[in-house]
């Protein structure tokens, strides 16, 4: 089984937090403000892609990032909208807890 990792870092140059998601052969960086992470990440657990309830949270390569949960899996899609994406990763739902822990571990004094 592939191992997945999540790491959050404050970006001092633009007051954003960069979340890096990675697997054995891929890496995805998602940038959002601390307020956007705090406001929208809790909504991801109830975001069902089948009902088009994906949560827009952050950007990657200047494209919106869409988050949803379905069948015990976390889906992160990058693209102009929830239907037209350029890149998608499907991750274990448990990784959402690791993402929250990484973001919570950042010291608010690290940015802004």
């Amino acid at each position: 089984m592939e191992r997945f990792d999540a790491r959050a870092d404050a970006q001092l140059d633009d007051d954003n937090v960069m979340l890096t998601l990675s697997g054995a052969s891929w890496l995805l960086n998602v940038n959002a403000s601390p307020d956007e992470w705090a406001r929208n990440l809790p909504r991801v657990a109830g975001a069902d892609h089948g009902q088009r309830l994906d949560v827009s949270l952050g950007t990657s390569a200047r494209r919106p990032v869409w988050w949803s949960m379905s069948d015990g899996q976390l889906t992160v899609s990058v693209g102009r909208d929830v239907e037209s994406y350029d890149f998608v990763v499907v991750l274990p739902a448990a990784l959402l807890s690791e993402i929250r822990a990484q973001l919570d571990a950042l010291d608010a004094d690290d940015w802004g």
Side-chain angles (χ1 to χ4, degrees), residues 59-79:
T59 61
S60 182
R62 298 187 181 151
R63 295 281 195 178
V65 178
W66 303 90
W67 302 70
S68 64
M69 295 286 278
S70 180
D71 298 323
Q73 296 180 315
L74 171 64
T75 301
V76 182
S77 308
V78 179

Side-chain angles (χ1 to χ4, degrees), residues 2-5 21-28 87 89:
E2 183 174 3
R3 175 164 160 59
F4 301 101
D5 189 41
L21 301 172
S22 60
S25 60
W26 60 271
L27 182 137
L28 174 65
F87 183 79
V89 291

